[in-house]
Amino acid sequence: MNNTPYPDDWPDISTKLYNRSVKLFNAVKNMLSVRLDLHADPQFLEGDIFLFNHFSRFETFIPQFLIYEKTGAYSCAIASGEFFNEDNVLSRYLKHVGVFPHDHDRLFPLLAGQILRGRKVIIFPEGGMVKDRRVIDKRGHYSIYSRVTGNRRKLHTGPAVLGQGVETFKAAIRHAYSQNNVTLLRQWQDALQIDSIDQLIAVANKPTLMVPANITFYPIRSSENLLFKGVELFSDSLSLRQSEELLIEGNIMLKNTDMDIRMGTPVDPCCIWDWRTRYLMDTVVPEISTIDDVFTLSSRPKNWRQRLLGSYFIKNAQCSRDRYMEGIYANVTINLSHLAATLIMHYIGEGQTHIEKNQFYSILYIAIKHLQNNTAIHLHRSLLNPDDYSDLLKSTNKRFDYFICAAKEAGLIQDRANSYQFLPKLLAEYDFDSIRLENPIAVYNNEAAPLRTVRDTLVAAINEFAGIDTNKLAAWHFEDECRALAWEKQVYSSSLFAEINQMEDTVADPSPFFLQPPVLSSVEGPVLSSVEGEQVNGIGILLIHGLLASPAELKDYGEYLVKQGYTVLGIRLKGHGTSPHALRDQSWEDWFGCVQRGFSILKAHCRRIAVAGFSTGGALALKLAAQRHHEIIGVIAVSVPLKFVNSAFMLVPLLHGTNKLVGWVSAFEGVKPFIENATEHPHINYRNVPVRALYELRLLIAHIDELLPRISTPTLIIYADQDPVVSAKSAPAIFDKLGSKNKKLQVITSNRHGILMENIGGVWRAIDDFLNELRTANRVDRSLEEMYDCIPLAAQGVKQGKVSKKHL
C-alpha cells in the first residue's frame, strides 16, 4: 500500500527535456569559472549505481549530465520529498528528468526498474551536505554528522540494498529462463519496457556494480561574491546557513575553482554473500513475481526463508556500505591546501605554537616529491606540474600564498617575520554551518584525514628535512625538469594545437640530460657515464641550447665533455621540444628561470662551473654570468644574436603588438602568430617560429646589451664569419662591451649557424683550450684556498710548539 502522495508509477524520463538540460548545463558550465575534470576508467562508467560525497548543492546536478556525455546513458537521482509536495514547474521538471522523491514507498523498485532498463542511478549516501568534511573519527571509524538528529551516524545503506535487490531480481529472471517460463519473462519484459526476452536475459547476466566517486573542490573560498551581494540586496536578513552557503558555493560557481570528479574501483553489492545467502537465494527466487517482492523480503516476508534472507541482506548491506565508504573517501584529490592544513594540525597536536617559514615550505616540497611516487592516492594537477610547486623551496608559491592569505583573514594564523604563528581559533569548535567560513584549515584537514598516508608522509618529511641531502634535492630538481617536459607535452598535444604541430618534424629527444663521469655517478634519473678510466676534474658544464631547439642540440657535445671528466647538465628552456604553441606562451624570464634551476642542480655536484650557451642560450649564459656567482669560473657564448642578418627582424615588435591588439579585440590569435623557419636541423628545431618568441628574444638582447660591462668572468666569444642568421658584427660588439679582463674572441670560417652542434671549424677544440686554461687557473686557486685553510691550523701548531716556523 502506498502511504505517500505519489502515484505507484512515475513519469518516464523525457529524453527531449533531458537532452535540452544537458545542452543548458554545458552552456552554463562554459559561463562559470569552474574547471570540471572527470577521472574515470571507461569500464567504471559501465557501472549501475554511482555514489558521490556531498559538499555543496552545486554537485547534485553535475554527475548525471557528465555520465550522459561520456556514455549516452540517462541517469536517475534522488531528491528530498519536499520538492514534490506541490505540483509546480520545478516538481514537474524534476519528475521528467529522472528525479525521484526520497520518501516514495516504491523508491527502490522504481530505481531497480531504471537500472534494468540500462539507466544509471546517482546517490549521495551521506544524505545531506557534509560541510565539515569530517568523515572519520580519532579511532579511524567512518561516520558523519546528521543535521536532522544532531548526532554522528554511518552513511546510508540504501545503495547496497538497491544493488542487492537488482541482483536478486536478475537471479529470478535467470531462474525463470532456466525453467522456460516464457509467460513470466514476457510479463517482466513488458513491465520493464525491454525490446525482447533475449535482451532481458542479457541484462540479467550483467553484474550489478556500485561505483564510489569523490568530488573535490579546490580552492575553498569564503570571500563575498556577486551572488551573495545580489541576494543580500533583495533580502532583509539571511540566516547563518544561507549566508554560509551563498559565500562558499557562490565562490565555487563564480570564481576559478577546480572540480575534480574521481571514480574508484566498482563494488559488487553481493561481494560478501556467503554460501548460506546464496543457498537461500536459490530457494527464494522461484517465489518472486515482481520487483516489489524483492524489496519486501525484510519488511513483509511471506515465510521464514524470506525473513532469514532479508536479515542476511541487511547484514550484507552494512558490509557493502563500509566498502563503498572507503572507496568514496579514498578518491579525494589531494592538493597543496590539504598538505598544508594536515601539517599545521599535526604540529598543533604535537603542542607547537608556530612553524618556521623555510621549514614549512621545504617540508611541503619534500612531501610532494614522495607522494608523487605513491600510487595509492590521487594528486591534484598542481602537485604534478612543477610550475605549480617547484618554487616552494624559494619560500614562495602562488597557491600556497592564497592558502596563507585565507588563513590569516580567517584569524587562524599570524604572519611573523620568519614564521607562522598558530592562533587559538584553529582549535575552537564551530557550528556545522559555519566551519567552512571560520576554519577552512580544519575542513581541508578533515577531507584528507581518511588517507592516512598523507599524514604519514608529512611526518616523515619533517624528519627528513633536518638532514636533507643536497644531492637528493638536486635529483628532485632534475626530475622536476623532466616532469615539466612531460606536462608541457601533454598540455600542448591537444587538438587545439594540431594544425601547427602537424607541420613539425622534431623527432630528437628533447629531454634535459645530466651526464657524470663514472666515479661521480650517483644522481637519480637518466645518467650517462663516460668511458672508464677517464679523469674526473670536478668541474661542471652547464649547456644551454638555442631558440627553437632543445637539449638534443647539444647532447653530442655533452657526451664529448663528459669523456674528459666534466660533469655536464643540458637544461631545457621552457616551450622547447614540445610545440611552437608552448614556446608562444613563454617569456625570456621563463627561459632564464630554467637556466637558474639548471645552475642550482649543477652546484650540488660541482664547486666550479663553466656555462656554455649557443645562440639565445649564449645570451642567457651571459645573463647568468652577469649575476657574478662565485661558482662560475668561465662562460662560453657561441653565435649570440646581438644583431641579425635579416633586417626584417626589426619589424618583430610591430607585428607582435598587432597580434596582441587583435587578440584583445577578437577571437583570432593574431594577424600572423607564426613565421615559417627554414631550419638547418628540422629533427630538432621548430619549423614554425612564434612571433612572441622573437619579440622576447629582442627584449633579452636589449637587456644583455646593458649587462655586458658587469661581466667580470673569463669569457670566450665564438662566431661564424658567414652565419646566415646572426650578423658577424654581433661578436665584436659583445666583445668590446664585456667587462671581463680575461676575454677571447674566436672566429670560425663557416656559412652555417649551428657551428657548436656540428663542431665546425674545430669549435670543440677551441673550447677545450679555453676550459684547460680555466682548469689550470682553478687548480692554482684551489691550492691557494687549501694553503689559506691550513694557515690557521699551522699557526695554532706553532703556538702549541708542534710546528716550527720554518715550515710556514
Side-chain angles (χ1 to χ4, degrees), residues 565-584:
Y566 295 103
T567 297
V568 184
L569 174 61
I571 199 66
R572 183 188 74 96
L573 305 180
K574 287 182 67 64
H576 292 78
T578 54
S579 165
H581 282 279
L583 182 56
R584 187 169 183 252

Side-chain angles (χ1 to χ4, degrees), residues 367-423:
I368 290 169
K369 296 309 297 179
H370 285 300
L371 288 172
Q372 286 175 343
N373 298 319
N374 190 325
T375 57
I377 65 171
H378 308 288
L379 299 180
H380 184 263
R381 57 188 173 85
S382 60
L383 298 186
L384 298 173
N385 181 5
D387 287 350
D388 285 324
Y389 69 79
S390 62
D391 55 358
L392 278 168
L393 287 178
K394 298 179 182 178
S395 296
T396 177
N397 180 272
K398 289 182 180 180
R399 290 181 180 272
F400 186 77
D401 289 346
Y402 172 79
F403 171 86
I404 290 297
C405 288
K408 288 192 294 186
E409 290 175 2
L412 301 172
I413 65 172
Q414 190 174 27
D415 193 345
R416 298 288 178 86
N418 297 310
S419 67
Y420 294 116
Q421 192 80 21
F422 305 142
L423 300 180

Side-chain angles (χ1 to χ4, degrees), residues 271-485:
C271 59
I272 54 173
W273 281 7
D274 57 16
W275 66 270
R276 292 169 299 183
T277 305
R278 297 189 182 280
Y279 173 78
L280 279 172
M281 171 72 71
D282 292 338
T283 62
V284 168
V285 292
E287 302 169 358
I288 294 174
S289 59
T290 67
I291 295 181
D292 293 77
D293 292 341
V294 173
F295 296 99
T296 58
L297 294 176
S298 299
S299 58
R300 295 192 297 276
K302 297 177 181 177
N303 51 53
W304 68 269
R305 293 188 301 276
Q306 292 189 8
R307 180 180 296 108
L308 184 58
L309 182 61
S311 66
Y312 284 166
F313 278 4
I314 293 174
K315 182 179 179 180
N316 292 336
Q318 293 172 348
C319 294
S320 296
R321 182 265 315 279
D322 293 342
R323 292 198 178 190
Y324 61 66
M325 283 171 61
E326 182 178 353
I328 289 174
Y329 301 127
N331 279 286
V332 62
T333 301
I334 295 296
N335 56 56
L336 186 59
S337 292
H338 288 131
L339 301 183
T342 302
L343 186 58
I344 288 173
M345 299 309 290
H346 169 76
Y347 273 127
I348 290 176
E350 294 293 310
Q352 284 196 210
T353 59
H354 71 282
I355 182 173
E356 298 296 325
K357 290 182 179 179
N358 176 58
Q359 181 182 9
F360 200 175
Y361 285 88
S362 298
I363 290 171
L364 289 174
Y365 178 83
I366 293 170
I368 290 169
K369 296 309 297 179
H370 285 300
L371 288 172
Q372 286 175 343
N373 298 319
N374 190 325
T375 57
I377 65 171
H378 308 288
L379 299 180
H380 184 263
R381 57 188 173 85
S382 60
L383 298 186
L384 298 173
N385 181 5
D387 287 350
D388 285 324
Y389 69 79
S390 62
D391 55 358
L392 278 168
L393 287 178
K394 298 179 182 178
S395 296
T396 177
N397 180 272
K398 289 182 180 180
R399 290 181 180 272
F400 186 77
D401 289 346
Y402 172 79
F403 171 86
I404 290 297
C405 288
K408 288 192 294 186
E409 290 175 2
L412 301 172
I413 65 172
Q414 190 174 27
D415 193 345
R416 298 288 178 86
N418 297 310
S419 67
Y420 294 116
Q421 192 80 21
F422 305 142
L423 300 180
K425 188 179 178 183
L426 270 168
L427 291 177
E429 292 292 331
Y430 294 99
D431 180 84
F432 186 73
D433 287 321
S434 65
I435 190 168
R436 295 195 295 187
L437 292 174
E438 300 292 341
N439 194 350
I441 289 180
V443 175
Y444 278 120
N445 177 65
N446 288 340
E447 187 172 35
L451 298 175
R452 183 68 188 182
T453 185
V454 171
R455 182 176 297 272
D456 291 345
T457 301
L458 284 163
V459 172
I462 293 173
N463 299 326
E464 189 173 352
F465 167 75
I468 189 67
D469 178 42
T470 55
N471 281 5
K472 188 169 187 178
L473 279 175
W476 277 339
H477 294 332
F478 183 75
E479 181 189 71
D480 284 341
E481 293 301 310
C482 297
R483 189 179 287 273
L485 170 62

Side-chain angles (χ1 to χ4, degrees), residues 617-754:
L620 293 168
L622 293 171
K623 163 70 175 172
L624 186 66
Q627 294 184 339
R628 299 182 177 179
H629 298 279
H630 70 271
E631 295 92 348
I632 298 179
I633 61 173
V635 59
I636 301 102
V638 183
S639 304
V640 177
L642 196 66
K643 301 177 185 296
F644 292 86
V645 172
N646 187 353
S647 59
F649 190 71
M650 300 298 295
L651 300 176
V652 164
L654 176 62
L655 184 55
H656 174 66
T658 304
N659 285 341
K660 289 181 66 176
L661 178 62
V662 172
W664 289 334
V665 300
S666 73
F668 295 105
E669 283 194 306
V671 175
K672 194 178 181 67
F674 296 96
I675 299 174
E676 188 175 350
N677 174 39
T679 174
E680 295 174 341
H681 308 109
H683 68 295
I684 292 177
N685 293 79
Y686 292 146
R687 287 183 176 274
N688 295 274
V689 188
V691 171
R692 161 78 186 277
L694 295 177
Y695 176 73
E696 292 296 331
L697 177 57
R698 286 292 304 271
L699 296 178
L700 172 62
I701 291 170
H703 180 65
I704 295 300
D705 193 45
E706 297 175 357
L707 294 179
L708 290 173
R710 294 178 52 188
I711 297 176
S712 58
T713 308
T715 306
L716 172 63
I717 303 297
I718 302 178
Y719 74 101
D721 59 353
Q722 301 173 59
D723 191 321
V725 178
V726 176
S727 171
K729 298 178 181 179
S730 295
I734 294 172
F735 185 82
D736 291 341
K737 291 185 178 181
L738 273 173
S740 176
K741 295 180 180 179
N742 182 358
K743 56 184 179 179
K744 295 187 176 182
L745 183 63
Q746 181 77 40
V747 182
I748 302 296
T749 301
S750 176
N751 61 357
R752 302 278 289 177
H753 177 58

Side-chain angles (χ1 to χ4, degrees), residues 135-177:
V135 297
I136 194 169
D137 59 26
K138 294 180 179 179
R139 295 177 297 174
H141 297 157
Y142 289 103
S143 62
I144 59 172
Y145 174 79
S146 172
R147 189 199 305 274
V148 177
T149 63
N151 297 313
R152 298 189 65 79
R153 61 164 176 79
K154 294 278 190 179
L155 270 69
H156 295 308
T157 58
V161 171
L162 176 61
Q164 287 186 118
V166 173
E167 273 300 301
T168 302
F169 193 72
K170 287 180 178 179
I173 295 173
R174 293 194 296 269
H175 178 268
Y177 180 73

Side-chain angles (χ1 to χ4, degrees), residues 235-254:
S235 175
D236 293 334
S237 62
L238 293 172
S239 67
L240 173 63
R241 177 179 175 183
Q242 291 171 327
S243 298
E244 187 265 356
E245 290 177 358
L246 285 171
L247 287 172
I248 298 295
E249 296 169 33
N251 282 319
I252 288 175
M253 290 187 291
L254 301 176

